[in-house]
Amino acid sequence: MAASLSILSKVVGNKVEGLFKSDDAEKVPPSEKELKDEEKRKLAQKEAEDERKKRHVKEEYQREKVRQEMRDKYGIQKKNAGGRPKTEVLEEIKKDYGMNDKDAKALQQKISEDAAQREASKAKVDKKMETRKMKKEIKKDLGVDKCKQQ
């Protein structure tokens, strides 16, 4: 939901920004050095974003590990995520902010992209959790337990 609101604020910001832009055609084309610097900056920004995503997946894995240990300890089943239908939420946002169809479609596309990214990171964490579970079962079958070793 927070991602949706950030997209919405960008759409509104772009509309407001467009009102205050001047129509000056006095722009000087960037030099080669400026182009190279811009390219380096974009590359560094992309690498930083990739590192941030990796760190977040790792942190989520650690959180999920703790959650799973709690579930195992108390015999709790993992809940499936639910919520309101996406179309209902989109229509409500569209009505509240007076968005046109083009902006609503852009918002829907961004929401879908964000959901796909969340699902991809969730799949990574689930895969790690599955391998962890398999390793625990193998250790249990072999009789190797930290508590019993002395």
Side-chain angles (χ1 to χ4, degrees):
M1 186 70 178
S4 303
L5 293 177
S6 68
I7 299 302
L8 187 61
S9 66
K10 288 180 184 178
V11 170
V12 172
N14 288 340
K15 285 188 174 190
V16 171
E17 188 178 298
L19 296 174
F20 297 113
K21 284 187 178 177
S22 63
D23 295 331
D24 294 338
E26 301 174 10
K27 302 261 180 176
V28 178
S31 66
E32 269 188 52
K33 184 178 181 184
E34 290 174 342
L35 289 174
K36 286 182 182 178
D37 290 344
E38 181 70 19
E39 188 177 317
K40 285 181 183 178
R41 186 187 64 79
K42 285 183 180 179
L43 182 62
Q45 190 175 23
K46 185 176 182 348
E47 288 175 356
E49 182 72 14
D50 290 343
E51 288 297 318
R52 185 187 65 80
K53 286 180 182 179
K54 286 179 186 177
R55 188 181 74 240
H56 282 281
V57 167
K58 189 175 181 180
E59 289 171 354
E60 183 59 30
Y61 170 66
Q62 295 299 325
R63 287 186 209 106
E64 188 60 32
K65 240 175 35 175
V66 171
R67 290 183 202 121
Q68 188 60 45
E69 287 174 0
M70 295 286 218
R71 286 187 211 110
D72 291 345
K73 183 177 179 181
Y74 296 108
I76 301 170
Q77 295 294 319
K78 187 174 182 178
K79 291 184 181 178
N80 290 333
R84 294 194 312 178
K86 293 178 183 178
T87 54
E88 181 183 318
V89 173
L90 184 64
E91 288 300 319
E92 184 178 320
I93 292 172
K94 185 178 173 182
K95 184 181 77 174
D96 289 346
Y97 291 96
M99 297 170 66
N100 60 22
D101 290 336
K102 181 182 175 186
D103 293 338
K105 188 173 182 178
L107 178 63
Q108 178 63 36
Q109 183 178 4
K110 184 61 179 167
I111 291 171
S112 298
E113 288 173 7
D114 289 346
Q117 287 177 349
R118 277 193 306 277
E119 286 298 319
S121 65
K122 186 177 180 280
K124 286 179 185 178
V125 170
D126 289 344
K127 184 177 178 184
K128 286 182 177 182
M129 289 302 293
E130 194 63 34
T131 56
R132 182 176 182 270
K133 184 178 178 182
M134 294 296 290
K135 286 179 182 178
K136 280 183 111 176
E137 288 178 8
I138 290 171
K139 278 185 177 180
K140 190 176 184 180
D141 290 342
L142 294 175
V144 178
D145 193 5
K146 290 181 181 176
C147 296
K148 293 179 181 177
Q149 292 177 356
Q150 288 186 1

